[in-house]
Amino acid sequence: MRRLAAISPAEALACVAELPSDDVRTRSVAAIAQDWVERDATGAVAAVAGFRDSAVGREFHLRVVEQLARTRPSRALSLVKSLSAREESLELLAEVFREWARTDPRMATARLFELERGAERSELLADVLATWARQDMSNAVRAVIVVTENDGRSQALRGVVRRLGEGSNAKDGLQLSAAFVRAVMLRAGMGMEEQERLGVAVAGLDELGAMDPDSLARFFDAIPPGYDRAVLAKRLVADASEKSPERAAVYALRFASGTERITAIRRASSGLVRENERAALAWIDTMSSAEDRAAAIQAVLFEISDLALAQEWLRGRMGQADADVAIQAFVLRSAREDAPLAASWARQIGDATLRYFAIEAVARAWLQVNRPALEAWLARTDLPEARVNRLLAR
């Protein structure tokens, strides 16, 4: 077969198609393509069109592109763009740009922007920039900031972080991912305002956390100079809550601190309850801090839509230290659509201050719906007469 390939590679390919073993066919096509491109690249490229309608032809196409990409990447790109069907193009383009990035990542990045904007280009850009980062972190960071200005810096950074973390050595890949985000955060100027830089960094950190929360924790243990841990955690929770409420919940408890912690917990709780109300309620029970639980209880119960589920959860919480906070939150929520239900719970609050606040909330909701029923109910509560009169005078 090797002798025939040297004399007539086209005939050799036709013979290869008759071989019974897929593995042997694949290796034979690769050898023919390599030899043909080395001896006559123009002839190999011209032959591609004539062999496209078979499995061997498609394999030959891929191998010619692969060989060209190593020595003549610009020509390989032209071949893909001229001959490839759309469903084949991504695999072939990935091969071209993967090889190109190893030898000239700057040019590979520039030529990528000749492609139509979209998900395919974003994926290829992430591949190229990740390859570049492994060779030259500083210039790859500069490229992310400069060339992606109109292509979505946050999306680009997410892609690079993901690609670096997916390397064959997971530990080293994750360290590279974290180092890349850190380098972006420390890169001053270059047209990025402070808030935009923070937003881009948070996108990269969320991608790191999605791959490995422990790597993100190590990052938070050594925040780059000039960044506030609490503010960074708050932004991270806000960003993640739109994409993965479960991840946002982990971030809120693990990284948020100080005055921003309660805000982060409430934000994460809101995301969780919108996605899975039962899971949001269960999350509350995982918290050891009373302050954390109170923040989550208020956020979850104030937004929950399944009032029956909420009541079931409340009944299991009666007698616990945070029962009054939970009941008050439920009363404020249920009063908007079922004042009598809210009224039945309001009187069970033990703390007078919380109870009176809840009773008044019920009264304001009920007043416009059924004043006589409200007056009869208020007479059975212990709300001070002056406050009752003030409510009914409205």
Side-chain angles (χ1 to χ4, degrees), residues 3 33 48 90 118 135 138-139 232 270 325 335 345 351 378 385:
R3 184 176 300 175
V48 166
L90 185 58
Q135 303 167 6
S138 178
N139 279 316
L232 193 61
S270 295
V325 171
W345 281 96
D351 180 86
L378 283 174
E385 184 177 356

Side-chain angles (χ1 to χ4, degrees), residues 154-167 169-183 185 200-224 232 236 239-240 243 247 250-251 254-255:
S154 293
Q155 181 182 2
L157 183 56
R158 280 182 177 275
V160 175
V161 169
R162 185 168 59 252
R163 290 295 188 280
L164 290 172
E166 290 171 347
N169 186 321
K171 182 179 178 181
D172 289 347
L174 290 167
Q175 288 176 347
L176 267 177
S177 295
F180 196 85
V181 177
R182 182 180 297 277
M185 294 172 72
V200 170
V202 161
L205 291 175
D206 182 36
E207 199 64 42
L208 179 64
M211 292 187 295
D212 182 43
D214 288 338
S215 292
L216 182 58
R218 285 190 288 273
F219 190 98
F220 266 87
D221 287 339
I223 296 291
L232 193 61
L236 181 60
D239 190 77
K243 302 173 180 65
R247 215 158 57 235
V250 171
Y251 296 161
R254 194 162 184 179
F255 305 124

Side-chain angles (χ1 to χ4, degrees), residues 94-120:
E95 186 61 41
V96 170
F97 283 104
R98 188 178 300 117
E99 293 295 334
W100 207 341
R102 291 190 181 109
T103 56
D104 190 352
R106 193 182 305 275
M107 181 58 70
T109 301
R111 293 295 299 274
L112 253 174
F113 284 86
E114 296 176 8
L115 304 180
E116 182 180 349
R117 176 183 288 186
E120 290 183 0

Side-chain angles (χ1 to χ4, degrees), residues 45-356:
V45 169
V48 166
F51 287 98
R52 282 174 46 78
D53 296 330
S54 67
V56 166
R58 288 189 290 275
E59 182 70 22
F60 177 64
H61 187 181
L62 173 62
R63 298 307 174 185
V64 168
V65 168
E66 184 180 80
Q67 291 301 316
L68 284 174
R70 291 171 182 164
T71 55
R72 304 172 181 85
S74 182
R75 191 167 185 181
L77 178 59
S78 298
L79 175 61
V80 173
K81 291 167 72 174
S82 65
L83 294 178
S84 295
R86 184 167 182 81
E87 60 271 15
E88 299 173 347
S89 65
L90 185 58
E91 179 184 2
L92 294 171
L93 286 170
E95 186 61 41
V96 170
F97 283 104
R98 188 178 300 117
E99 293 295 334
W100 207 341
R102 291 190 181 109
T103 56
D104 190 352
R106 193 182 305 275
M107 181 58 70
T109 301
R111 293 295 299 274
L112 253 174
F113 284 86
E114 296 176 8
L115 304 180
E116 182 180 349
R117 176 183 288 186
E120 290 183 0
R121 189 174 80 178
S122 295
E123 290 295 314
L124 292 170
L125 181 61
D127 279 339
V128 169
L129 291 173
T131 300
W132 196 350
R134 293 184 185 102
Q135 303 167 6
D136 180 357
M137 178 76 74
S138 178
N139 279 316
V141 167
R142 185 178 187 280
V144 165
I145 295 172
V146 174
V147 306
T148 62
E149 180 177 2
N150 298 314
D151 205 59
R153 285 184 179 132
S154 293
Q155 181 182 2
L157 183 56
R158 280 182 177 275
V160 175
V161 169
R162 185 168 59 252
R163 290 295 188 280
L164 290 172
E166 290 171 347
S168 56
N169 186 321
K171 182 179 178 181
D172 289 347
L174 290 167
Q175 288 176 347
L176 267 177
S177 295
F180 196 85
V181 177
R182 182 180 297 277
V184 170
M185 294 172 72
L186 293 174
R187 196 68 178 249
M190 303 184 69
M192 271 209 300
E193 298 295 330
E194 182 180 348
Q195 287 304 308
E196 183 187 3
R197 187 184 309 282
L198 179 59
V200 170
V202 161
L205 291 175
D206 182 36
E207 199 64 42
L208 179 64
M211 292 187 295
D212 182 43
D214 288 338
S215 292
L216 182 58
R218 285 190 288 273
F219 190 98
F220 266 87
D221 287 339
I223 296 291
Y227 289 87
D228 182 271
R229 176 189 173 104
V231 172
L232 193 61
K234 179 183 173 182
R235 284 288 299 270
L236 181 60
V237 171
D239 190 77
S241 63
E242 302 298 324
K243 302 173 180 65
S244 171
E246 292 85 357
R247 215 158 57 235
V250 171
Y251 296 161
L253 293 182
R254 194 162 184 179
F255 305 124
S257 60
T259 58
E260 305 291 355
R261 183 176 177 85
I262 297 304
T263 301
I265 289 174
R266 285 174 177 159
R267 184 68 179 262
S269 299
S270 295
L272 272 179
V273 76
R274 287 194 297 271
E275 183 171 275
N276 186 327
E277 295 184 347
R278 193 174 292 277
L281 291 169
W283 182 55
I284 294 170
D285 293 323
T286 68
M287 301 177 187
S288 57
S289 162
E291 189 177 12
D292 290 350
R293 281 198 307 275
I297 284 170
Q298 290 166 345
V300 170
L301 290 183
F302 194 70
E303 294 191 32
I304 199 166
S305 61
D306 188 340
L307 300 186
L309 173 63
Q311 290 179 90
E312 175 189 327
W313 184 82
L314 280 174
R315 292 186 190 101
R317 206 158 197 86
M318 299 302 286
Q320 296 189 31
D322 51 26
D324 283 352
V325 171
I327 295 172
Q328 186 197 52
F330 176 75
V331 168
L332 297 179
R333 162 66 187 91
S334 57
R336 294 176 298 194
E337 61 187 70
D338 191 340
L341 173 64
S344 70
W345 281 96
R347 294 176 62 188
Q348 298 184 53
I349 298 174
D351 180 86
T353 300
L354 297 180
R355 184 171 65 253
Y356 293 162

